[in-house]
């Protein structure tokens, strides 16, 4: 029985509003709880894109256009080194004439956390702190690059703000 937007259960004498009923169902639904955590994480990443993205959304690396995602390695020559990426060299396949990217296993670029990167403005304060990055000369592109050589991961975070 409904009375003034409240549900009355005469047997248990419980009076719940519509909001309370929705919250009760939400708490029982495990997938909904997991989904809300994932959504909050994604919103946090997008709102803090300047910090969480290794590059600005418009930074171009023309020599690395349409590059596949960077492979993150932990072992070099059988020894644990920590997270790193190898240097990338572009080569032209003479059979297909396609540009291919090959890892140069002689160049190691450790992935560092809380590094200084390109400057950005956060609440009117100029900052350059990034969550992760590699030394100059190295390139880390978690989702690869687009046809103009821009990091797709960084652009995804910046695009999520819209």
């Amino acid at each position: 029985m409904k009375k003034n937007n409240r549900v009355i259960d005469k047997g248990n004498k419980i009076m719940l509003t519509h909001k309370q009923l929705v919250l009760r169902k939400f708490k029982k639904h495990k997938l909904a709880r997991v989904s809300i955590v994932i959504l909050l994480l994604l919103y946090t990443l997008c709102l803090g894109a300047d910090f969480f993205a290794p590059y600005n959304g418009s930074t171009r690396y023309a020599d690395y256009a349409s590059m596949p995602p960077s492979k993150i390695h932990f072992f070099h020559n059988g020894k644990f080194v920590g997270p790193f990426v190898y240097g990338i060299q572009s080569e032209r396949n003479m059979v297909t004439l396609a540009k291919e990217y090959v890892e140069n296993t002689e160049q190691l670029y450790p992935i560092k956390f809380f590094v200084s990167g390109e400057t950005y403005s956060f609440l009117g304060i100029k900052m350059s702190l990034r969550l992760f990055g590699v030394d100059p000369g190295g390139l880390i592109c978690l989702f690869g690059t687009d046809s103009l050589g821009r990091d797709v991961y960084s652009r995804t975070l910046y695009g999520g703000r819209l």
Side-chain angles (χ1 to χ4, degrees):
M1 171 190 279
K2 273 189 160 183
K3 187 176 182 182
N4 298 335
N5 291 332
R6 291 182 179 261
V7 175
I8 302 170
D9 184 359
K10 289 187 177 186
N12 295 330
K13 307 272 189 209
I14 299 174
M15 294 177 49
L16 297 174
T17 64
H18 181 69
K19 182 179 178 181
Q20 290 170 327
L21 285 172
V22 170
L23 284 174
R24 181 182 277 186
K25 276 197 164 195
F26 179 77
K27 289 178 183 177
K28 289 181 181 178
H29 201 285
K30 189 174 187 175
L31 183 60
R33 290 190 318 239
V34 171
S35 298
I36 197 76
V37 169
I38 292 171
L39 276 174
L40 289 173
L41 176 69
L42 291 174
Y43 282 132
T44 302
L45 286 173
C46 290
L47 289 174
D50 293 315
F51 173 71
F52 292 111
Y55 309 107
N56 286 338
S58 59
T59 301
R60 290 182 55 187
Y61 297 96
D63 294 339
Y64 300 100
S66 300
M67 186 178 80
S70 300
K71 294 178 185 174
I72 298 175
H73 303 276
F74 291 92
F75 294 91
H76 179 68
N77 294 334
K79 294 181 181 177
F80 179 76
V81 181
F84 69 93
V85 292
Y86 287 118
I88 301 292
Q89 294 177 337
S90 64
E91 297 177 352
R92 183 72 59 188
N93 185 331
M94 298 312 290
V95 175
T96 63
L97 298 177
K99 197 173 194 181
E100 295 178 349
Y101 296 96
V102 181
E103 291 181 335
N104 180 356
T105 57
E106 300 298 318
Q107 295 176 324
L108 270 69
Y109 294 100
I111 299 173
K112 298 178 180 176
F113 293 96
F114 304 107
V115 297
S116 180
E118 299 172 49
T119 59
Y120 58 91
S121 179
F122 179 73
L123 299 174
I125 303 168
K126 294 281 186 188
M127 300 179 74
S128 64
L129 185 66
R130 304 276 179 170
L131 178 63
F132 68 95
V134 293
D135 290 333
L139 189 64
I140 181 168
C141 299
L142 298 180
F143 295 171
T145 60
D146 63 7
S147 60
L148 296 176
R150 299 174 296 192
D151 180 35
V152 176
Y153 172 72
S154 298
R155 291 183 58 78
T156 301
L157 292 183
Y158 281 101
R161 288 180 170 181
L162 298 177

